C-alpha cells in the first residue's frame, strides 16, 4: 500500500469547492476511488455534485 494525497473539486454549474484528502491505496486509480468515497461521505450535501480529481501525489 502506498500513501497518496488526492486533490479534488466538487462542481455543479458555476458552484465549486476544492480540497485534499490523504488515502492509502495500491494504485493512483484506487486512490481516486477511495478519495471520492471519503469526500462524498464528508460532504453528504453534495451528492448531486460532480467529483473531479485535479491531482494525485504519491506521499
Amino acid at each position: 500500500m502506498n500513501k497518496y494525497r488526492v486533490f479534488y473539486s466538487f462542481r455543479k454549474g458555476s458552484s465549486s469547492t476544492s480540497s485534499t484528502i490523504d488515502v492509502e491505496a495500491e494504485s493512483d486509480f484506487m486512490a481516486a476511488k477511495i478519495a471520492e468515497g471519503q469526500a462524498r461521505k464528508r460532504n453528504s450535501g453534495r451528492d448531486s455534485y460532480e467529483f473531479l480529481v485535479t491531482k494525485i501525489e504519491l506521499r
Side-chain angles (χ1 to χ4, degrees):
M1 290 280 216
N2 295 311
K3 293 183 181 184
Y4 293 91
R5 175 161 286 166
V6 180
F7 296 78
Y8 66 90
S9 296
F10 278 115
R11 291 194 183 149
K12 183 177 181 180
S14 62
S15 176
S16 70
T17 184
S18 300
S19 190
T20 62
I21 194 164
D22 293 329
V23 298
E24 287 189 21
E26 294 180 8
S27 67
D28 290 6
F29 176 79
M30 286 308 300
K33 290 296 184 186
I34 293 167
E36 180 176 7
Q38 290 183 6
R40 288 199 182 276
K41 191 173 186 178
R42 288 184 190 174
N43 298 281
S44 60
R46 301 190 190 278
D47 291 340
S48 63
Y49 282 59
E50 180 180 11
F51 179 83
L52 300 166
V53 173
T54 54
K55 183 178 175 182
I56 298 176
E57 290 180 349
L58 189 56
R59 304 275 306 167

